Amino acid sequence: MKLKVFIALFLGFIAVGWAQKPDYKEKIKTMKIAYITDHLGLTPEQAEKFWPVYNKYDERIFELHHEERKIVKHQLNEESIEKLSEEEAQQLIDRLIYLENELLKQHKQMNADLKKILSAKEIVLLKKIEDDFMRELLWKLKGKKDKGGKH
């Protein structure tokens, strides 16, 4: 669980930086589509139905993660926290809980919509494929960083 949170936050900080550079965001999206397509083995009929549903939810989930990361990055540093009143802190907690609930709602709805296209086993496989893609992406980014590359 801690690893997933770390990975999500790490990717979030990377994504925040890359969101300002559309070419990186599009490059990652293209890589992700190719990776999922290659590993999920969709039939052409499934792919035609799958991608519009997947992209709709993937974009909304990205937006929610992005908003959450902005709060963490800009409002949850030691300096800012010390300046928060109790009321402001509670509002921040409420906002973060709202975002988490929205993420859960989006994931549930995405799974319900995907069940009309994929089997339950294929949806589980999709989750594994997404996790594998993120792990490989992190590995590649770490390699570039270690070699002095910029991202």
Side-chain angles (χ1 to χ4, degrees):
M1 182 67 173
K2 289 181 184 177
L3 178 61
K4 285 185 180 183
V5 171
F6 172 75
I7 290 172
L9 287 174
F10 180 75
L11 286 175
F13 290 122
I14 291 170
V16 167
W18 282 358
Q20 298 166 357
K21 301 173 186 171
D23 53 325
Y24 285 115
K25 184 178 175 185
E26 285 304 312
K27 185 176 180 180
I28 290 174
K29 185 175 182 176
T30 302
M31 289 169 44
K32 185 176 182 182
I33 289 169
Y35 192 91
I36 290 172
T37 299
D38 185 46
H39 289 81
L40 193 55
L42 298 172
T43 66
E45 295 81 23
Q46 284 177 310
E48 186 177 324
K49 295 175 185 173
F50 171 81
W51 286 111
V53 171
Y54 182 85
N55 288 334
K56 170 186 161 187
Y57 289 105
D58 191 52
E59 184 62 31
R60 178 66 179 134
I61 289 167
F62 175 83
E63 290 169 3
L64 290 166
H65 277 296
H66 181 72
E67 185 174 346
E68 185 178 39
R69 286 184 297 272
K70 281 191 338 189
I71 291 171
V72 170
K73 184 177 181 181
H74 297 293
Q75 293 180 313
L76 294 183
N77 59 55
E78 286 185 43
E79 204 173 284
S80 297
I81 291 172
E82 290 191 21
K83 293 178 184 176
L84 285 177
S85 68
E86 280 298 309
E87 183 179 332
E88 291 170 327
Q90 186 59 55
Q91 289 173 352
L92 206 50
I93 290 168
D94 292 344
R95 183 67 186 156
L96 289 169
I97 290 171
Y98 168 79
L99 290 171
E100 289 295 326
N101 284 329
E102 281 298 304
L103 281 165
L104 179 60
K105 188 168 94 176
Q106 291 298 312
H107 282 289
K108 284 182 175 182
Q109 189 60 52
M110 180 181 185
N111 285 333
D113 287 352
L114 286 175
K115 278 186 175 182
K116 299 171 188 170
I117 303 163
L118 304 174
S119 70
K121 284 175 74 171
E122 289 171 320
I123 293 171
V124 171
L125 178 59
L126 172 63
K127 177 63 179 143
K128 181 191 179 310
I129 291 167
E130 288 175 318
D131 289 348
D132 290 348
F133 172 78
M134 289 301 188
R135 198 172 6 267
E136 286 187 29
L137 180 62
L138 282 172
W139 186 258
K140 288 178 184 177
L141 291 172
K142 183 182 180 312
K144 284 185 179 180
K145 186 178 179 183
D146 290 346
K147 293 177 183 174
K150 294 182 180 179
H151 29 159

PDB file of all heavy atoms in Angstrom, residues 3-31:
ATOM      1  N   LEU A   3       3.854   1.544  -1.073  1.00  0.00           N
ATOM      2  CA  LEU A   3       4.529   1.640  -2.366  1.00  0.00           C
ATOM      3  C   LEU A   3       3.605   2.267  -3.393  1.00  0.00           C
ATOM      4  O   LEU A   3       4.026   3.124  -4.170  1.00  0.00           O
ATOM      5  CB  LEU A   3       5.000   0.256  -2.837  1.00  0.00           C
ATOM      6  CG  LEU A   3       5.683   0.218  -4.198  1.00  0.00           C
ATOM      7  CD1 LEU A   3       6.947   1.077  -4.173  1.00  0.00           C
ATOM      8  CD2 LEU A   3       6.008  -1.199  -4.592  1.00  0.00           C
ATOM      9  N   LYS A   4       2.326   1.875  -3.388  1.00  0.00           N
ATOM     10  CA  LYS A   4       1.369   2.439  -4.334  1.00  0.00           C
ATOM     11  C   LYS A   4       1.188   3.936  -4.106  1.00  0.00           C
ATOM     12  O   LYS A   4       1.116   4.700  -5.052  1.00  0.00           O
ATOM     13  CB  LYS A   4       0.024   1.723  -4.251  1.00  0.00           C
ATOM     14  CG  LYS A   4       0.031   0.360  -4.880  1.00  0.00           C
ATOM     15  CD  LYS A   4      -1.338  -0.251  -4.871  1.00  0.00           C
ATOM     16  CE  LYS A   4      -1.301  -1.621  -5.520  1.00  0.00           C
ATOM     17  NZ  LYS A   4      -2.619  -2.219  -5.596  1.00  0.00           N
ATOM     18  N   VAL A   5       1.112   4.333  -2.851  1.00  0.00           N
ATOM     19  CA  VAL A   5       0.978   5.764  -2.533  1.00  0.00           C
ATOM     20  C   VAL A   5       2.214   6.516  -3.002  1.00  0.00           C
ATOM     21  O   VAL A   5       2.120   7.566  -3.635  1.00  0.00           O
ATOM     22  CB  VAL A   5       0.740   5.972  -1.018  1.00  0.00           C
ATOM     23  CG1 VAL A   5       0.828   7.438  -0.649  1.00  0.00           C
ATOM     24  CG2 VAL A   5      -0.601   5.395  -0.613  1.00  0.00           C
ATOM     25  N   PHE A   6       3.399   5.949  -2.725  1.00  0.00           N
ATOM     26  CA  PHE A   6       4.645   6.582  -3.156  1.00  0.00           C
ATOM     27  C   PHE A   6       4.686   6.706  -4.675  1.00  0.00           C
ATOM     28  O   PHE A   6       5.010   7.761  -5.209  1.00  0.00           O
ATOM     29  CB  PHE A   6       5.853   5.791  -2.660  1.00  0.00           C
ATOM     30  CG  PHE A   6       7.148   6.283  -3.230  1.00  0.00           C
ATOM     31  CD1 PHE A   6       7.715   7.461  -2.778  1.00  0.00           C
ATOM     32  CD2 PHE A   6       7.784   5.596  -4.254  1.00  0.00           C
ATOM     33  CE1 PHE A   6       8.893   7.936  -3.314  1.00  0.00           C
ATOM     34  CE2 PHE A   6       8.963   6.049  -4.793  1.00  0.00           C
ATOM     35  CZ  PHE A   6       9.526   7.229  -4.326  1.00  0.00           C
ATOM     36  N   ILE A   7       4.347   5.630  -5.361  1.00  0.00           N
ATOM     37  CA  ILE A   7       4.362   5.646  -6.827  1.00  0.00           C
ATOM     38  C   ILE A   7       3.374   6.677  -7.352  1.00  0.00           C
ATOM     39  O   ILE A   7       3.700   7.452  -8.250  1.00  0.00           O
ATOM     40  CB  ILE A   7       4.066   4.243  -7.403  1.00  0.00           C
ATOM     41  CG1 ILE A   7       5.251   3.310  -7.129  1.00  0.00           C
ATOM     42  CG2 ILE A   7       3.768   4.306  -8.894  1.00  0.00           C
ATOM     43  CD1 ILE A   7       4.987   1.857  -7.471  1.00  0.00           C
ATOM     44  N   ALA A   8       2.168   6.708  -6.769  1.00  0.00           N
ATOM     45  CA  ALA A   8       1.160   7.669  -7.219  1.00  0.00           C
ATOM     46  C   ALA A   8       1.642   9.105  -7.017  1.00  0.00           C
ATOM     47  O   ALA A   8       1.504   9.950  -7.905  1.00  0.00           O
ATOM     48  CB  ALA A   8      -0.151   7.446  -6.471  1.00  0.00           C
ATOM     49  N   LEU A   9       2.217   9.382  -5.849  1.00  0.00           N
ATOM     50  CA  LEU A   9       2.719  10.733  -5.595  1.00  0.00           C
ATOM     51  C   LEU A   9       3.889  11.071  -6.509  1.00  0.00           C
ATOM     52  O   LEU A   9       3.960  12.167  -7.062  1.00  0.00           O
ATOM     53  CB  LEU A   9       3.133  10.893  -4.131  1.00  0.00           C
ATOM     54  CG  LEU A   9       1.990  10.978  -3.131  1.00  0.00           C
ATOM     55  CD1 LEU A   9       2.526  10.977  -1.700  1.00  0.00           C
ATOM     56  CD2 LEU A   9       1.158  12.215  -3.381  1.00  0.00           C
ATOM     57  N   PHE A  10       4.806  10.123  -6.684  1.00  0.00           N
ATOM     58  CA  PHE A  10       5.962  10.352  -7.551  1.00  0.00           C
ATOM     59  C   PHE A  10       5.509  10.634  -8.975  1.00  0.00           C
ATOM     60  O   PHE A  10       5.946  11.600  -9.598  1.00  0.00           O
ATOM     61  CB  PHE A  10       6.898   9.144  -7.506  1.00  0.00           C
ATOM     62  CG  PHE A  10       8.120   9.302  -8.366  1.00  0.00           C
ATOM     63  CD1 PHE A  10       9.154  10.127  -7.959  1.00  0.00           C
ATOM     64  CD2 PHE A  10       8.227   8.653  -9.586  1.00  0.00           C
ATOM     65  CE1 PHE A  10      10.280  10.291  -8.744  1.00  0.00           C
ATOM     66  CE2 PHE A  10       9.347   8.809 -10.378  1.00  0.00           C
ATOM     67  CZ  PHE A  10      10.381   9.624  -9.955  1.00  0.00           C
ATOM     68  N   LEU A  11       4.612   9.798  -9.476  1.00  0.00           N
ATOM     69  CA  LEU A  11       4.100  10.016 -10.829  1.00  0.00           C
ATOM     70  C   LEU A  11       3.337  11.330 -10.913  1.00  0.00           C
ATOM     71  O   LEU A  11       3.374  12.012 -11.926  1.00  0.00           O
ATOM     72  CB  LEU A  11       3.203   8.856 -11.266  1.00  0.00           C
ATOM     73  CG  LEU A  11       3.932   7.573 -11.606  1.00  0.00           C
ATOM     74  CD1 LEU A  11       2.927   6.464 -11.893  1.00  0.00           C
ATOM     75  CD2 LEU A  11       4.845   7.767 -12.787  1.00  0.00           C
ATOM     76  N   GLY A  12       2.675  11.653  -9.820  1.00  0.00           N
ATOM     77  CA  GLY A  12       1.940  12.910  -9.783  1.00  0.00           C
ATOM     78  C   GLY A  12       2.842  14.114  -9.946  1.00  0.00           C
ATOM     79  O   GLY A  12       2.545  15.019 -10.726  1.00  0.00           O
ATOM     80  N   PHE A  13       3.948  14.112  -9.234  1.00  0.00           N
ATOM     81  CA  PHE A  13       4.879  15.226  -9.347  1.00  0.00           C
ATOM     82  C   PHE A  13       5.480  15.281 -10.742  1.00  0.00           C
ATOM     83  O   PHE A  13       5.677  16.352 -11.301  1.00  0.00           O
ATOM     84  CB  PHE A  13       5.966  15.153  -8.279  1.00  0.00           C
ATOM     85  CG  PHE A  13       5.445  15.440  -6.905  1.00  0.00           C
ATOM     86  CD1 PHE A  13       5.588  14.513  -5.891  1.00  0.00           C
ATOM     87  CD2 PHE A  13       4.805  16.635  -6.618  1.00  0.00           C
ATOM     88  CE1 PHE A  13       5.092  14.775  -4.618  1.00  0.00           C
ATOM     89  CE2 PHE A  13       4.316  16.904  -5.361  1.00  0.00           C
ATOM     90  CZ  PHE A  13       4.455  15.974  -4.356  1.00  0.00           C
ATOM     91  N   ILE A  14       5.751  14.128 -11.302  1.00  0.00           N
ATOM     92  CA  ILE A  14       6.266  14.090 -12.677  1.00  0.00           C
ATOM     93  C   ILE A  14       5.197  14.605 -13.632  1.00  0.00           C
ATOM     94  O   ILE A  14       5.467  15.427 -14.502  1.00  0.00           O
ATOM     95  CB  ILE A  14       6.699  12.659 -13.062  1.00  0.00           C
ATOM     96  CG1 ILE A  14       7.942  12.265 -12.274  1.00  0.00           C
ATOM     97  CG2 ILE A  14       6.960  12.555 -14.565  1.00  0.00           C
ATOM     98  CD1 ILE A  14       8.299  10.796 -12.399  1.00  0.00           C
ATOM     99  N   ALA A  15       3.973  14.128 -13.432  1.00  0.00           N
ATOM    100  CA  ALA A  15       2.886  14.526 -14.324  1.00  0.00           C
ATOM    101  C   ALA A  15       2.607  16.020 -14.231  1.00  0.00           C
ATOM    102  O   ALA A  15       2.302  16.662 -15.231  1.00  0.00           O
ATOM    103  CB  ALA A  15       1.622  13.726 -14.006  1.00  0.00           C
ATOM    104  N   VAL A  16       2.699  16.587 -13.020  1.00  0.00           N
ATOM    105  CA  VAL A  16       2.486  18.028 -12.868  1.00  0.00           C
ATOM    106  C   VAL A  16       3.506  18.790 -13.708  1.00  0.00           C
ATOM    107  O   VAL A  16       3.169  19.721 -14.428  1.00  0.00           O
ATOM    108  CB  VAL A  16       2.568  18.449 -11.379  1.00  0.00           C
ATOM    109  CG1 VAL A  16       2.658  19.957 -11.248  1.00  0.00           C
ATOM    110  CG2 VAL A  16       1.361  17.931 -10.620  1.00  0.00           C
ATOM    111  N   GLY A  17       4.748  18.362 -13.641  1.00  0.00           N
ATOM    112  CA  GLY A  17       5.788  19.005 -14.445  1.00  0.00           C
ATOM    113  C   GLY A  17       5.564  18.785 -15.929  1.00  0.00           C
ATOM    114  O   GLY A  17       5.745  19.683 -16.742  1.00  0.00           O
ATOM    115  N   TRP A  18       5.152  17.582 -16.271  1.00  0.00           N
ATOM    116  CA  TRP A  18       4.959  17.269 -17.685  1.00  0.00           C
ATOM    117  C   TRP A  18       3.667  17.862 -18.243  1.00  0.00           C
ATOM    118  O   TRP A  18       3.542  18.047 -19.438  1.00  0.00           O
ATOM    119  CB  TRP A  18       4.965  15.771 -17.895  1.00  0.00           C
ATOM    120  CG  TRP A  18       6.347  15.214 -17.882  1.00  0.00           C
ATOM    121  CD1 TRP A  18       7.517  15.906 -17.752  1.00  0.00           C
ATOM    122  CD2 TRP A  18       6.712  13.857 -17.998  1.00  0.00           C
ATOM    123  NE1 TRP A  18       8.581  15.057 -17.781  1.00  0.00           N
ATOM    124  CE2 TRP A  18       8.109  13.790 -17.925  1.00  0.00           C
ATOM    125  CE3 TRP A  18       5.992  12.690 -18.154  1.00  0.00           C
ATOM    126  CZ2 TRP A  18       8.795  12.599 -18.016  1.00  0.00           C
ATOM    127  CZ3 TRP A  18       6.675  11.508 -18.233  1.00  0.00           C
ATOM    128  CH2 TRP A  18       8.061  11.464 -18.166  1.00  0.00           C
ATOM    129  N   ALA A  19       2.710  18.134 -17.356  1.00  0.00           N
ATOM    130  CA  ALA A  19       1.460  18.715 -17.828  1.00  0.00           C
ATOM    131  C   ALA A  19       1.730  20.063 -18.494  1.00  0.00           C
ATOM    132  O   ALA A  19       0.984  20.500 -19.360  1.00  0.00           O
ATOM    133  CB  ALA A  19       0.486  18.884 -16.665  1.00  0.00           C
ATOM    134  N   GLN A  20       2.813  20.686 -18.113  1.00  0.00           N
ATOM    135  CA  GLN A  20       3.180  21.959 -18.714  1.00  0.00           C
ATOM    136  C   GLN A  20       3.896  21.749 -20.043  1.00  0.00           C
ATOM    137  O   GLN A  20       4.137  22.692 -20.774  1.00  0.00           O
ATOM    138  CB  GLN A  20       4.069  22.739 -17.748  1.00  0.00           C
ATOM    139  CG  GLN A  20       3.350  23.065 -16.456  1.00  0.00           C
ATOM    140  CD  GLN A  20       4.303  23.534 -15.381  1.00  0.00           C
ATOM    141  OE1 GLN A  20       5.504  23.565 -15.557  1.00  0.00           O
ATOM    142  NE2 GLN A  20       3.744  23.891 -14.241  1.00  0.00           N
ATOM    143  N   LYS A  21       4.255  20.519 -20.334  1.00  0.00           N
ATOM    144  CA  LYS A  21       4.934  20.170 -21.576  1.00  0.00           C
ATOM    145  C   LYS A  21       4.086  19.137 -22.300  1.00  0.00           C
ATOM    146  O   LYS A  21       4.260  17.937 -22.118  1.00  0.00           O
ATOM    147  CB  LYS A  21       6.323  19.600 -21.275  1.00  0.00           C
ATOM    148  CG  LYS A  21       7.207  20.552 -20.508  1.00  0.00           C
ATOM    149  CD  LYS A  21       8.485  19.884 -20.091  1.00  0.00           C
ATOM    150  CE  LYS A  21       9.281  20.814 -19.188  1.00  0.00           C
ATOM    151  NZ  LYS A  21      10.412  20.156 -18.594  1.00  0.00           N
ATOM    152  N   PRO A  22       3.126  19.583 -23.127  1.00  0.00           N
ATOM    153  CA  PRO A  22       2.171  18.675 -23.760  1.00  0.00           C
ATOM    154  C   PRO A  22       2.817  17.542 -24.548  1.00  0.00           C
ATOM    155  O   PRO A  22       2.264  16.466 -24.634  1.00  0.00           O
ATOM    156  CB  PRO A  22       1.369  19.582 -24.685  1.00  0.00           C
ATOM    157  CG  PRO A  22       1.593  20.964 -24.193  1.00  0.00           C
ATOM    158  CD  PRO A  22       2.922  20.958 -23.504  1.00  0.00           C
ATOM    159  N   ASP A  23       3.988  17.769 -25.122  1.00  0.00           N
ATOM    160  CA  ASP A  23       4.618  16.717 -25.903  1.00  0.00           C
ATOM    161  C   ASP A  23       4.951  15.501 -25.039  1.00  0.00           C
ATOM    162  O   ASP A  23       4.795  14.372 -25.472  1.00  0.00           O
ATOM    163  CB  ASP A  23       5.855  17.237 -26.631  1.00  0.00           C
ATOM    164  CG  ASP A  23       6.843  17.930 -25.710  1.00  0.00           C
ATOM    165  OD1 ASP A  23       6.416  18.589 -24.746  1.00  0.00           O
ATOM    166  OD2 ASP A  23       8.055  17.823 -25.971  1.00  0.00           O
ATOM    167  N   TYR A  24       5.379  15.710 -23.789  1.00  0.00           N
ATOM    168  CA  TYR A  24       5.667  14.591 -22.893  1.00  0.00           C
ATOM    169  C   TYR A  24       4.382  13.868 -22.508  1.00  0.00           C
ATOM    170  O   TYR A  24       4.339  12.643 -22.473  1.00  0.00           O
ATOM    171  CB  TYR A  24       6.385  15.059 -21.626  1.00  0.00           C
ATOM    172  CG  TYR A  24       7.827  15.400 -21.838  1.00  0.00           C
ATOM    173  CD1 TYR A  24       8.288  16.697 -21.674  1.00  0.00           C
ATOM    174  CD2 TYR A  24       8.736  14.418 -22.204  1.00  0.00           C
ATOM    175  CE1 TYR A  24       9.619  17.016 -21.861  1.00  0.00           C
ATOM    176  CE2 TYR A  24      10.079  14.725 -22.397  1.00  0.00           C
ATOM    177  CZ  TYR A  24      10.511  16.026 -22.226  1.00  0.00           C
ATOM    178  OH  TYR A  24      11.821  16.326 -22.419  1.00  0.00           O
ATOM    179  N   LYS A  25       3.351  14.632 -22.198  1.00  0.00           N
ATOM    180  CA  LYS A  25       2.077  14.031 -21.810  1.00  0.00           C
ATOM    181  C   LYS A  25       1.540  13.180 -22.954  1.00  0.00           C
ATOM    182  O   LYS A  25       1.097  12.049 -22.734  1.00  0.00           O
ATOM    183  CB  LYS A  25       1.073  15.119 -21.426  1.00  0.00           C
ATOM    184  CG  LYS A  25      -0.230  14.576 -20.913  1.00  0.00           C
ATOM    185  CD  LYS A  25      -1.171  15.695 -20.514  1.00  0.00           C
ATOM    186  CE  LYS A  25      -2.514  15.134 -20.110  1.00  0.00           C
ATOM    187  NZ  LYS A  25      -3.479  16.178 -19.840  1.00  0.00           N
ATOM    188  N   GLU A  26       1.581  13.702 -24.154  1.00  0.00           N
ATOM    189  CA  GLU A  26       1.105  12.949 -25.312  1.00  0.00           C
ATOM    190  C   GLU A  26       1.986  11.736 -25.589  1.00  0.00           C
ATOM    191  O   GLU A  26       1.491  10.674 -25.963  1.00  0.00           O
ATOM    192  CB  GLU A  26       1.032  13.853 -26.547  1.00  0.00           C
ATOM    193  CG  GLU A  26      -0.144  14.795 -26.532  1.00  0.00           C
ATOM    194  CD  GLU A  26      -1.488  14.102 -26.370  1.00  0.00           C
ATOM    195  OE1 GLU A  26      -1.744  13.105 -27.086  1.00  0.00           O
ATOM    196  OE2 GLU A  26      -2.274  14.530 -25.510  1.00  0.00           O
ATOM    197  N   LYS A  27       3.279  11.888 -25.404  1.00  0.00           N
ATOM    198  CA  LYS A  27       4.202  10.771 -25.622  1.00  0.00           C
ATOM    199  C   LYS A  27       3.900   9.634 -24.647  1.00  0.00           C
ATOM    200  O   LYS A  27       3.851   8.462 -25.035  1.00  0.00           O
ATOM    201  CB  LYS A  27       5.648  11.245 -25.452  1.00  0.00           C
ATOM    202  CG  LYS A  27       6.676  10.199 -25.784  1.00  0.00           C
ATOM    203  CD  LYS A  27       8.080  10.765 -25.683  1.00  0.00           C
ATOM    204  CE  LYS A  27       9.116   9.711 -26.013  1.00  0.00           C
ATOM    205  NZ  LYS A  27      10.482  10.218 -25.922  1.00  0.00           N
ATOM    206  N   ILE A  28       3.673   9.974 -23.380  1.00  0.00           N
ATOM    207  CA  ILE A  28       3.353   8.963 -22.382  1.00  0.00           C
ATOM    208  C   ILE A  28       2.003   8.320 -22.695  1.00  0.00           C
ATOM    209  O   ILE A  28       1.850   7.100 -22.589  1.00  0.00           O
ATOM    210  CB  ILE A  28       3.366   9.554 -20.965  1.00  0.00           C
ATOM    211  CG1 ILE A  28       4.797   9.879 -20.578  1.00  0.00           C
ATOM    212  CG2 ILE A  28       2.747   8.588 -19.955  1.00  0.00           C
ATOM    213  CD1 ILE A  28       4.934  10.593 -19.263  1.00  0.00           C
ATOM    214  N   LYS A  29       1.045   9.131 -23.093  1.00  0.00           N
ATOM    215  CA  LYS A  29      -0.277   8.588 -23.432  1.00  0.00           C
ATOM    216  C   LYS A  29      -0.169   7.607 -24.600  1.00  0.00           C
ATOM    217  O   LYS A  29      -0.753   6.527 -24.562  1.00  0.00           O
ATOM    218  CB  LYS A  29      -1.239   9.725 -23.785  1.00  0.00           C
ATOM    219  CG  LYS A  29      -2.646   9.267 -24.033  1.00  0.00           C
ATOM    220  CD  LYS A  29      -3.585  10.430 -24.258  1.00  0.00           C
ATOM    221  CE  LYS A  29      -5.000   9.931 -24.447  1.00  0.00           C
ATOM    222  NZ  LYS A  29      -5.949  11.021 -24.570  1.00  0.00           N
ATOM    223  N   THR A  30       0.609   7.953 -25.608  1.00  0.00           N
ATOM    224  CA  THR A  30       0.823   7.068 -26.751  1.00  0.00           C
ATOM    225  C   THR A  30       1.501   5.777 -26.328  1.00  0.00           C
ATOM    226  O   THR A  30       1.105   4.684 -26.752  1.00  0.00           O
ATOM    227  CB  THR A  30       1.666   7.788 -27.833  1.00  0.00           C
ATOM    228  OG1 THR A  30       0.970   8.974 -28.225  1.00  0.00           O
ATOM    229  CG2 THR A  30       1.900   6.905 -29.039  1.00  0.00           C
ATOM    230  N   MET A  31       2.514   5.895 -25.464  1.00  0.00           N
ATOM    231  CA  MET A  31       3.207   4.711 -24.958  1.00  0.00           C
ATOM    232  C   MET A  31       2.252   3.826 -24.161  1.00  0.00           C
ATOM    233  O   MET A  31       2.272   2.597 -24.288  1.00  0.00           O
ATOM    234  CB  MET A  31       4.392   5.120 -24.076  1.00  0.00           C
ATOM    235  CG  MET A  31       5.546   5.735 -24.836  1.00  0.00           C
ATOM    236  SD  MET A  31       6.827   6.524 -23.792  1.00  0.00           S
ATOM    237  CE  MET A  31       7.066   5.373 -22.472  1.00  0.00           C
TER     238      MET A  31
END
